[in-house]
């Protein structure tokens, strides 16, 4: 059974640019959630996708957007990058919306 | 809004000894789930243990057990026979459920646990 995978591992972008992060959910999981983890802090919920529809959103501006594909993989897009967007971005998948979430290794985004 | 508080920023324990990590939470809901996650330096978040609020029996997974006190809104993690590989950041997390919309995990700030040889 393949776990949750994320790409890329690391990414360096310039302020104002756009970035796309990718996540492949664990086999059989139809729900993907995205979290932002600033250095030394707990993860903060960005949004969740369930069967290709957004199913909840945290306190993040609209420049954070996402997609879920028919195979349940997902993308996180961030436009107009700001320095404060520098963080570890974690993707988690679950069998159903209320089940325990299994995390990928994360993407470290640095905005300069 | 739900909040999760971990009051111990750092803890240390000798190998083979027992350590308890504290967590309190605030919610007005009656139906919810609680989790402990471990994040080693490799940064992969690993699920350690899960507790459903409607279950009175404390969850146990091998060397890991919880003390769930629903009335006090307390959810502590006990690690027995600590091993060097237990060194990590530990996060307590809350999920309200089940919900039709927005089944998010709310995390505490974390506790760094260092196991010493």
């Amino acid at each position: 059974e393949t776990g949750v995978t994320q790409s890329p591992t690391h990414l360096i972008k310039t302020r104002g640019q756009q970035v796309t992060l990718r996540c492949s959910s664990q086999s059989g999981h139809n729900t993907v959630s995205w979290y932002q983890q600033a250095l030394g802090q707990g993860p903060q919920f960005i949004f969740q996708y369930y069967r290709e529809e957004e199913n909840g959103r945290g306190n993040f501006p609209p420049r954070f957007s996402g997609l879920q594909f028919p195979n349940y993989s997902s993308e996180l897009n961030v436009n107009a990058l700001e320095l404060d967007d520098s963080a570890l971005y974690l993707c988690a998948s679950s069998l159903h919306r209320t089940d325990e979430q299994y995390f990928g290794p994360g993407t470290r985004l640095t905005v300069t | 809004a739900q909040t999760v508080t971990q009051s111990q920023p750092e803890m240390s324990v000798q190998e083979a000894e027992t350590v308890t990590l504290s967590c309190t939470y605030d919610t007005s809901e009656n139906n919810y789930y609680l989790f402990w996650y471990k994040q080693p330096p490799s940064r992969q978040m690993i699920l350690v243990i899960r507790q459903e609020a409607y279950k009175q029996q404390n969850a146990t997974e091998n060397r890991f057990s919880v003390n769930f006190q629903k009335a006090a809104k307390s959810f502590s993690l006990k690690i027995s026979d600590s091993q060097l590989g237990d060194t990590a950041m530990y996060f307590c997390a809350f999920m309200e459920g089940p919900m039709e919309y927005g089944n998010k995990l709310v995390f505490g700030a974390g506790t760094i646990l260092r196991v010493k040889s």
Side-chain angles (χ1 to χ4, degrees), chain A residues 9-10 35 37 40-43 45 48 54-56 88 90 97-106 108, chain B residues 33 35 37 39 42-45 47 50 89 91 95-105 107-109:
Chain A
T9 304
H10 295 92
Y35 295 83
Q37 186 178 19
Q41 298 182 23
F45 176 71
Q48 182 182 82
E54 188 180 284
N55 186 59
L88 180 67
L90 296 168
R97 287 172 290 178
T98 58
D99 285 341
E100 54 261 36
Q101 298 182 7
Y102 294 91
F103 284 81
R108 172 74 65 192
Chain B
Y33 308 91
F35 305 87
Y37 281 89
Q39 189 176 40
S42 67
R43 80 191 189 199
Q44 178 101 36
M45 192 80 77
L47 177 64
R50 162 189 166 127
M89 176 77 94
F91 290 99
M95 179 191 288
E96 183 182 336
M99 295 171 61
E100 283 298 311
Y101 190 78
N103 299 283
K104 63 180 180 182
L105 284 167
F107 286 86

Side-chain angles (χ1 to χ4, degrees), chain B residues 27-89:
Chain B
T27 183
S28 58
E29 301 298 325
N30 194 49
N31 189 14
Y32 52 88
Y33 308 91
L34 294 162
F35 305 87
W36 279 97
Y37 281 89
K38 164 186 175 180
Q39 189 176 40
S42 67
R43 80 191 189 199
Q44 178 101 36
M45 192 80 77
I46 301 165
L47 177 64
V48 174
I49 201 163
R50 162 189 166 127
Q51 175 80 44
E52 290 86 351
Y54 64 86
K55 290 187 178 179
Q56 292 190 338
Q57 186 172 5
N58 290 323
T60 300
E61 287 287 342
N62 300 314
R63 299 183 294 109
F64 299 88
S65 62
V66 298
N67 183 4
F68 174 48
Q69 300 289 328
K70 190 172 183 180
K73 296 180 182 175
S74 170
F75 183 62
S76 61
L77 175 70
K78 185 172 83 171
I79 305 174
S80 304
D81 186 26
S82 297
Q83 301 174 1
L84 294 177
D86 294 333
T87 293
M89 176 77 94

Side-chain angles (χ1 to χ4, degrees), chain A residues 22-37:
Chain A
R22 294 179 175 83
C23 170
S24 291
S25 59
Q26 192 165 315
S27 178
H29 288 190
N30 61 22
T31 302
V32 171
S33 304
W34 286 91
Y35 295 83
Q36 181 194 66
Q37 186 178 19

